[in-house]
């Protein structure tokens, strides 16, 4: 599968041919733009967590006295946990949106989800109250989650096996850069930029979407699947979906694999949901870290995250998808326990370790998930994985909020949500190893 020198539509000249498929290297503009759109969605989605301490103080009544969490934060962790759970739960709507990408095309759905998610999230800057804030982000969350799901599918389908983990790592890096950027902007601006001004900045990536769309393409693998070439069908089981059906259905033989990857994604969300969402509140309102330190922490996490993605790409291509994903998921859960163990050094160290482990995890897990399912259902499967992550995060947020409020201990609460995640990580060994296989080999239509 060497390069043929056929110019790519984006003008980069990096397209390669594999059985008449137009495929790209991981650094082609078609992949880079996908990463930029993922980053724009990450910028909006992580804004909830990064500004949560400010939002709680704005809409609550912090007293600064007493030992309770609410006295220092402004709103109880039960209220914060329920609000974040509602926002996460709303992301269940990403499943039909991702399913539409198996019918209408990856490009159209990706652009629509990104534009709609950014526009609705920007409106949160005008929220008159906490529950208005929750409602607006709940409306935008399905679209942003849809962007995340479909961008990974595009990265996988536009590349051949040696470039696939790299392309997924690049899209993950784009998402991570977006999530880190909003936290860094908030930290550097300080009190000069309120949380309302922070969310108003979302109009900047929204305005750039027409420019991004010029470089984004429909993967040839999807075009061939929709055209019905050979035995290809839109649902992966030999029959085209009926009109009006959003979701393609995997064949019966693939369904156990789908439910298992969804379960493992849910367990990861069970610990990362509360660990990530509550981090800024914990650091600033409980440990008393200034914004400048949290901004420096996020900046350091960006560097470690990039290093982790490079290491994760190498591990996925040399050690295998299953071993890398299963091991790193356990490390992520254990790092969350360290983060909430007490002193500020542990909070910073645990957070950085979790970011690094998550970055190593992403290329392997993303490649494995896309390589196990055929093109006709690949976006739908990504939607189911998003659903798993949402349900896991919602359960984790509610459980974590109730536990912290009841026992007033972050560390014990984190241990209780992390241990089940670690216990289930060996289940990654039940998947087939797809290292070195093209999508047509690992998951034929």
């Amino acid at each position: 599968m060497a390069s043929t020198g056929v110019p790519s539509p984006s003008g980069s000249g990096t397209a390669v041919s594999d059985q008449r498929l137009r495929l790209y290297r991981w650094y082609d503009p078609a992949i880079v733009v996908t990463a930029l759109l993922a980053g724009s969605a990450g910028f909006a989605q992580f804004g909830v967590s990064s500004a949560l301490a400010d939002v709680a103080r704005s809409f609550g009544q912090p007293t600064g006295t007493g030992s309770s969490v609410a006295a220092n934060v402004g709103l109880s962790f039960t209220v914060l946990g329920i609000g974040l759970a509602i926002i996460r739960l709303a992301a269940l709507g990403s499943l039909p949106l991702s399913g539409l990408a198996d019918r209408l095309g990856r490009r159209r759905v990706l652009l629509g989800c990104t534009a709609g998610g950014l526009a609705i999230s920007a409106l949160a800057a005008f929220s008159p109250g906490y529950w208005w804030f929750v409602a607006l982000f709940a409306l935008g969350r399905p679209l942003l989650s849809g962007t995340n799901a479909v961008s990974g599918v595009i990265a996988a389908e536009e590349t051949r096996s040696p470039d696939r983990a790299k392309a997924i790592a690049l899209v993950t890096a784009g998402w991570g850069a977006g999530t880190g950027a909003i936290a860094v902007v908030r930290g550097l601006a300080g009190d000069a930029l309120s949380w309302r001004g922070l969310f108003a900045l979302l109009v900047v990536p929204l305005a750039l979407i027409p420019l991004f769309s010029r470089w984004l393409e429909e993967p040839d693998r999807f075009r061939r699947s929709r055209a019905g070439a050979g035995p290809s069908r839109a649902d992966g089981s030999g029959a085209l979906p009926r009109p009006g059906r959003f979701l393609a259905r995997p064949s019966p033989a693939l369904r156990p694999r789908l439910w298992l990857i969804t379960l493992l994604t849910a367990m990861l969300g069970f610990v990362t949901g509360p660990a990530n969402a509550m981090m800024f509140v914990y650091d600033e309102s409980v440990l008393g870290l200034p914004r400048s330190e949290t901004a420096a922490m996020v900046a350091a996490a960006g560097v470690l995250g990039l290093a982790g993605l490079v290491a994760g790409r190498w591990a996925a291509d040399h050690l295998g998808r299953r071993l890398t994903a299963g091991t790193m998921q356990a490390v992520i859960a254990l790092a969350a326990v360290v983060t909430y163990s007490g002193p500020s050094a542990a909070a910073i160290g645990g957070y950085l370790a979790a970011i690094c482990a998550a970055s190593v995890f992403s290329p392997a897990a993303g490649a494995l998930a896309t390589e196990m399912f055929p093109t006709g259902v690949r976006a739908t499967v990504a939607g189911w994985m998003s659903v798993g992550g949402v349900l896991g995060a919602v359960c984790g947020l509610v459980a974590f909020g109730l536990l912290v409020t009841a026992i007033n201990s972050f560390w014990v609460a984190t241990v209780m949500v992390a241990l089940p995640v670690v216990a289930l990580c060996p289940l990654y060994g039940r998947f087939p190893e797809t290292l070195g296989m093209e999508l047509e080999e690992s998951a034929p239509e």
Side-chain angles (χ1 to χ4, degrees), residues 403-416:
L403 286 169
V404 170
T405 300
I407 62 181
N408 207 34
S409 172
F410 285 87
W411 183 76
V412 174
T414 309
V415 169
M416 294 178 70

Side-chain angles (χ1 to χ4, degrees), residues 357-392:
S359 299
V360 177
F361 168 86
S362 294
L368 179 65
T370 55
E371 289 168 348
M372 291 193 301
F373 299 94
T375 301
V377 297
R378 193 168 289 124
T380 298
V381 169
W384 277 112
M385 292 177 64
S386 294
V387 165
V390 169
L391 293 177

Side-chain angles (χ1 to χ4, degrees), residues 81-159:
I82 291 174
L84 289 174
I86 291 173
I87 294 173
R88 290 294 184 101
L89 192 62
L92 292 175
S94 66
L95 176 56
L97 292 174
S98 300
L100 280 176
D102 282 331
R103 294 180 56 82
L104 304 180
R106 283 58 163 128
R107 181 181 184 276
R108 186 185 305 179
V109 172
L110 181 62
L111 291 173
C113 284
T114 307
L118 291 176
I120 295 173
S121 299
L123 291 176
F126 303 98
S127 301
Y130 175 71
W131 294 112
W132 276 97
F133 174 84
V134 169
L136 285 169
F137 265 98
L139 288 174
R141 190 58 176 262
L143 297 161
L144 300 174
S145 297
T147 295
N148 190 25
V150 177
S151 62
V153 172
I154 291 178
E157 292 182 346
E158 291 276 49
T159 53

Side-chain angles (χ1 to χ4, degrees), residues 3 6 164 169 176 223 300 322 414 441:
S3 175
V6 179
R164 189 164 302 122
R223 293 180 187 272
R322 300 179 303 176
T414 309
E441 299 170 328

Side-chain angles (χ1 to χ4, degrees), residues 8 57 82 114 167 183 263 268 281 357 382 398-399:
S8 74
R57 284 191 291 268
I82 291 174
T114 307
L263 171 64
L268 180 62
V281 175
V398 173

Side-chain angles (χ1 to χ4, degrees), residues 11 97 129 175 180 182 214 264 279 282 311 321 332 373 386 406 413-414:
L97 292 174
W175 177 270
I182 195 166
R214 297 176 56 188
L264 290 171
M279 182 195 66
Y282 176 73
R321 287 31 170 150
I332 292 168
F373 299 94
S386 294
T414 309

Side-chain angles (χ1 to χ4, degrees), residues 104-357:
L104 304 180
R106 283 58 163 128
R107 181 181 184 276
R108 186 185 305 179
V109 172
L110 181 62
L111 291 173
C113 284
T114 307
L118 291 176
I120 295 173
S121 299
L123 291 176
F126 303 98
S127 301
Y130 175 71
W131 294 112
W132 276 97
F133 174 84
V134 169
L136 285 169
F137 265 98
L139 288 174
R141 190 58 176 262
L143 297 161
L144 300 174
S145 297
T147 295
N148 190 25
V150 177
S151 62
V153 172
I154 291 178
E157 292 182 346
E158 291 276 49
T159 53
R160 56 195 181 102
S161 181
D163 283 290
R164 189 164 302 122
K166 298 174 186 177
I168 292 173
L170 179 62
V171 171
T172 303
W175 177 270
T179 61
I182 195 166
V184 171
V185 168
R186 174 179 173 269
L188 294 178
D191 294 333
L193 183 67
S194 68
W195 63 268
R196 297 183 187 275
L198 188 69
F199 295 128
L201 292 176
L202 294 175
V203 299
V204 176
L206 179 62
L208 293 175
I209 288 181
L211 177 62
F212 294 159
S213 67
R214 297 176 56 188
W215 302 96
L216 187 66
E217 299 177 2
E218 193 68 66
D220 265 12
R221 282 186 166 111
F222 174 78
R223 293 180 187 272
R224 190 174 71 171
S225 176
R226 290 298 293 160
S232 176
R233 291 296 183 266
D235 68 351
S237 62
L240 291 171
R242 293 189 301 270
R245 180 186 293 171
F246 290 105
L247 304 178
R249 294 186 299 178
S251 64
L254 293 176
R255 289 172 195 170
R257 190 180 296 178
L258 170 62
W259 305 138
L260 182 56
I261 193 67
T262 301
L263 171 64
L264 290 171
T265 305
M267 294 310 298
L268 180 62
F270 188 73
V271 67
T272 59
N276 294 340
M278 299 295 188
M279 182 195 66
F280 286 92
V281 175
Y282 176 73
D283 287 350
E284 297 179 12
S285 299
V286 177
L287 297 182
L289 293 179
R291 284 186 176 185
S292 58
E293 289 192 23
T294 58
M297 181 177 67
V298 172
V303 176
L304 286 177
L306 289 175
L309 288 171
V310 173
R313 192 278 308 166
W314 182 90
D317 286 339
H318 292 82
L319 303 180
R321 287 31 170 150
R322 300 179 303 176
L323 177 62
T324 304
T327 302
M328 288 301 104
Q329 183 158 321
V331 173
I332 292 168
L334 295 174
V337 173
V338 175
T339 300
Y340 290 93
S341 60
S344 58
I348 295 173
Y351 169 73
L352 294 178
I355 291 296
C356 188

